Amino acid sequence: MLATLERSSVRGGKWHSLIDKVYKTENLLSAYREVAANQGAPGVDYVTIEDFTASLIRNVSKLEQQLRDGTYRPQAIKRVHIPKPGSTETRPLGIPTVRDRVVQNALRHVLEPILERQFAEHSYGFRPNRGCKDALRRVDGLIKAGSKYTVDVDLKSYFDTIPHDRLVKELRKYVADNSVIGLVGQFLQAEILDGVERWTPQSGAPQGAIISPLLSNLYLNDLDHLMANQGYQMTRYADDLVIQCQTREQAESALAIVSAWVTERGLVLHPTKTKIVHVDVEGFEFLGYHFIKHRRFPRPKSLVKFKDAIRSKTRRTNGNSLQAIIADVNRTLRGWYEYFKHSWKTTFPDLDSWMRMRLRSILRRRRGQEGRGSRISDSKLYPNSYFAENGLFSMTDARARECQPACQ
């Protein structure tokens, strides 16, 4: 896509003539295939992926024509509220219709390679060939290099508060095609339908919209470069960011710069969650981990989310065979371990023990007994080896196999 754009679209450092690349049939079909692979719920029109696929050629042709002649208009975004792990609060999530997800994805195909060239090295969220582990590796390396003071920055309701006019102004630095700019504006101001309430947002990039992560990265891009140019070690994953410093004075200076930038850009720092911490004293949380001293652990909310997932699969009334239950929980155990395997070694034995207790409780219930499977008699009847023989994944054993001699 970038090679195609460069041949015909760059003049004066800005990108022109992009809308025809958005509505190109091949691009729309590619965008559809990715949307279909991700599945997802229907939007306000109740059209499912299967419904859209049943009339694929007609639907894509219609979108192409509407984008070509400028009559395309996004439908309302259905808002749902999903629980935040370890909290009574919920997080709003926007669900565009399938047709709008296809167009947003086609638009992303065109804008992403353009904006990727502008993004900073130490921004990792929602970018090609980058991810959480890259950001965590950098943070861990900076701690080991002596960056003990951390500015833990929390942007309050970031995705809901990005000013539309300023975001579009950032996009115009690189894109001169008014049709594309207008299309982005339509998505930003698409109506929100939340139950019986309906309104047009004046700010924000709805979480759940395909184009939102790219636009949210764009809005913070200047901050990334500002901090890097002034010599600060900032690591950012979407709206999660930390600045690691050698001294408290450096941390206070960094926080002052960020505070001024955030205020000027119409954003808000969370008054209590934004703070300077010492990694050897209180530590800090980043991307699911809690860093303290030279160690890291899953943060409490990560443990709550993990245990809730396991509990849902290991209720004592579960009527499946033990082998089927183990096969089901193993998928969660392996996925969770793969992300948190760099946690301090004491993390895993307790979780493995708790996991076996859940299974012993099921077996205890099947013997006609009440209560949790935490009694000595249960352990004797169903020792650890019993579950190993039935294929239960052990995080402790997995870590021992993977751990190098220097691992502690």
Side-chain angles (χ1 to χ4, degrees), residues 101-394:
R101 297 207 293 270
V102 170
V103 175
Q104 284 194 31
N105 205 29
L107 179 60
R108 181 183 66 82
H109 286 173
V110 173
L111 291 180
E112 186 174 71
I114 294 171
L115 299 180
E116 266 295 313
R117 306 177 84 183
Q118 319 302 326
F119 290 161
E121 176 66 24
H122 301 306
S123 164
Y124 296 93
F126 306 108
R127 296 184 60 190
N129 304 314
R130 289 167 173 260
C132 292
K133 291 186 177 181
D134 300 306
L136 290 166
R137 193 176 298 115
R138 171 173 159 79
V139 168
D140 189 58
L142 287 168
I143 292 173
K144 291 174 180 175
S147 295
K148 297 290 188 178
Y149 290 90
T150 299
V151 185
D152 190 355
V153 179
D154 188 286
L155 295 171
K156 188 176 181 181
S157 302
Y158 172 63
F159 284 93
D160 292 330
T161 57
I162 303 173
H164 288 169
D165 56 342
R166 298 186 185 187
L167 175 56
V168 170
K169 184 178 179 181
E170 288 299 306
L171 185 58
R172 285 191 181 278
K173 290 181 180 179
Y174 314 107
V175 174
D177 187 321
N178 286 327
S179 295
V180 166
I181 295 290
L183 187 57
V184 170
Q186 287 184 46
F187 283 127
L188 290 174
Q189 296 191 323
E191 279 192 312
I192 304 292
L193 182 63
D194 189 349
V196 296
E197 296 184 27
R198 182 186 290 261
W199 74 93
T200 300
Q202 301 304 308
S203 63
Q207 294 187 65
I210 291 174
I211 200 69
S212 293
L214 181 64
L215 297 177
S216 66
N217 272 335
L218 172 64
Y219 199 65
L220 292 177
N221 186 48
D222 276 358
L223 177 62
D224 294 334
H225 289 292
L226 172 65
M227 300 307 290
N229 291 339
Q230 297 205 23
Y232 293 104
Q233 304 289 356
M234 187 171 86
T235 305
R236 183 172 69 82
Y237 189 97
D239 61 333
D240 290 333
L241 59 104
V242 291
I243 307 163
Q244 294 169 267
C245 304
Q246 298 278 336
T247 67
R248 185 171 186 87
E249 291 72 23
Q250 290 175 346
E252 289 173 347
S253 176
L255 178 55
I257 294 171
V258 170
S259 297
W261 188 93
V262 165
T263 300
E264 193 276 328
R265 293 303 180 97
L267 303 174
V268 178
L269 290 179
H270 196 290
T272 58
K273 294 181 180 179
T274 298
K275 54 188 180 296
I276 297 173
V277 298
H278 194 291
V279 72
D280 290 344
V281 182
E282 61 268 64
F284 63 94
E285 294 182 352
F286 187 60
L287 297 182
Y289 275 96
H290 180 74
F291 289 84
I292 186 161
K293 296 183 178 178
H294 59 286
R295 307 171 182 177
R296 52 172 144 157
F297 301 86
R299 69 173 185 164
K301 287 184 179 180
S302 299
L303 289 172
V304 168
K305 184 177 181 180
F306 166 73
K307 288 190 172 184
D308 284 347
I310 293 297
R311 285 190 184 99
S312 70
K313 297 183 176 187
T314 56
R315 293 188 175 91
R316 294 174 208 177
T317 54
N318 191 320
N320 294 321
S321 68
L322 180 64
Q323 290 74 20
I325 295 172
I326 287 176
D328 190 22
V329 298
N330 275 352
R331 285 188 284 272
T332 298
L333 293 173
R334 288 195 172 97
W336 194 86
Y337 172 77
E338 182 58 31
Y339 187 78
F340 288 103
K341 64 183 177 183
H342 297 293
S343 299
W344 188 246
K345 61 182 179 180
T346 57
T347 300
F348 305 109
D350 287 347
L351 291 176
D352 282 340
S353 178
W354 178 81
M355 178 71 252
R356 290 188 293 266
M357 181 276 294
R358 297 288 303 178
L359 295 176
R360 289 186 182 111
S361 298
I362 294 173
L363 296 172
R364 182 180 178 83
R365 174 69 173 266
R366 291 178 180 180
R367 300 199 311 271
Q369 297 176 297
E370 298 296 325
R372 300 170 64 188
S374 55
R375 295 165 175 78
I376 294 177
S377 59
D378 295 310
S379 298
K380 288 183 177 179
L381 189 58
Y382 305 109
N384 295 356
S385 59
Y386 173 80
F387 297 107
E389 290 166 2
N390 278 275
L392 181 66
F393 178 76
S394 166

Side-chain angles (χ1 to χ4, degrees), residues 18-34:
L18 298 177
I19 191 65
D20 59 314
K21 281 76 174 178
V22 175
Y23 63 65
K24 191 175 181 180
T25 303
E26 292 85 347
N27 186 34
L28 288 170
L29 287 171
S30 175
Y32 152 76
R33 286 191 289 269
E34 292 172 356

